[in-house]
Amino acid sequence: MRITARQTTARTETDLTRAIEREQPVTVTYLAEETRDVIAVDSTGQAARRTVKTGGHVEIVRTIEPRDRITTRAGHTVIKALCRKSGGHRSYRLDRLVSYTVHRGTHLIAEPAPRTARTLDDISTGCTLGHGKHRYTVTANGTPVHHGTEPGPAHAALAGAGRSARTVAAAEDGTYCLDATRHMTARGALTDI
């Protein structure tokens, strides 16, 4: 095990870059941002669970399969990797590594297939929360410009209304729907919940 405080950053970068090139797994002890779940009430009066950062750090140990090394605009070196625990992509800032061990094995996790994007029509018929249809309300400068259950016209109204447009996506009965909101946000809409 290498403890990062006892060696130069360049040495750590070299070891991890070599692990990327050789496709070797690495066990890291890492300072992750501490989070906690809170219950918040949105503007419609619905309770929603949110995850907030506490500002502290918690030490975690993960075995990862590093795939790439990048430098952010802020100047931080980041290791992009697949986490063996979650099976998903994760990013680890080099300055938050406490220690690491490069293993002799090779990668075990296959690169996940890219997720297919859902179409506008899919969202109204294939809600993962079981809602039959969604209701989309688009406003521009506080004035309603569209209200309906079809996502296509909602997006057209958003595009025509410009930067001041907002949309509220909900289930047909008026309850908040994370699936519809996520979809509208992914399509570039400004979402108000």
Side-chain angles (χ1 to χ4, degrees):
M1 174 177 21
R2 302 222 182 244
I3 299 173
T4 56
R6 295 184 187 164
Q7 65 185 24
T8 65
T9 303
R11 174 63 193 252
T12 303
E13 279 187 58
T14 301
D15 288 347
L16 294 175
T17 301
R18 190 175 298 131
I20 292 167
E21 291 167 356
R22 295 179 180 173
E23 297 186 354
Q24 294 174 301
V26 179
T27 299
V28 296
T29 304
Y30 183 77
L31 295 175
E33 289 190 68
E34 187 176 38
T35 60
R36 63 186 171 108
D37 289 338
V38 296
I39 304 295
V41 178
D42 63 15
S43 60
T44 63
Q46 297 290 323
R49 183 180 302 254
R50 305 223 191 267
T51 301
V52 296
K53 295 178 181 177
T54 64
H57 291 93
V58 61
E59 200 170 273
I60 62 169
V61 177
R62 296 285 186 270
T63 298
I64 62 172
E65 296 181 0
R67 305 294 171 128
D68 196 11
R69 181 181 65 88
I70 63 168
T71 303
T72 66
R73 287 184 194 155
H76 299 291
T77 301
V78 175
I79 302 298
K80 300 283 198 174
L82 285 172
C83 175
R84 284 192 175 171
K85 182 176 181 180
S86 69
H89 290 277
R90 298 291 182 266
S91 298
Y92 299 89
R93 275 182 38 184
L94 202 64
D95 61 326
R96 291 194 181 157
L97 282 181
V98 175
S99 63
Y100 64 94
T101 302
V102 179
H103 300 285
R104 293 182 188 193
T106 59
H107 289 175
L108 298 176
I109 304 173
E111 192 71 34
R115 291 183 2 187
T116 58
R118 297 174 74 186
T119 66
L120 287 173
D121 294 330
D122 289 343
I123 197 70
S124 60
T125 58
C127 177
T128 59
L129 300 174
H131 298 131
K133 282 205 174 257
H134 295 106
R135 181 177 46 135
Y136 304 96
T137 303
V138 179
T139 59
N141 296 323
T143 305
V145 293
H146 173 79
H147 183 77
T149 58
E150 296 301 317
H155 277 285
L158 276 168
R163 295 183 59 97
S164 64
R166 307 283 294 168
T167 182
V168 176
E172 195 170 30
D173 63 2
T175 58
Y176 171 73
C177 179
L178 181 63
D179 200 18
T181 302
R182 230 186 249 143
H183 182 74
M184 293 293 277
T185 304
R187 303 287 291 193
L190 297 172
T191 304
D192 184 14
I193 56 171

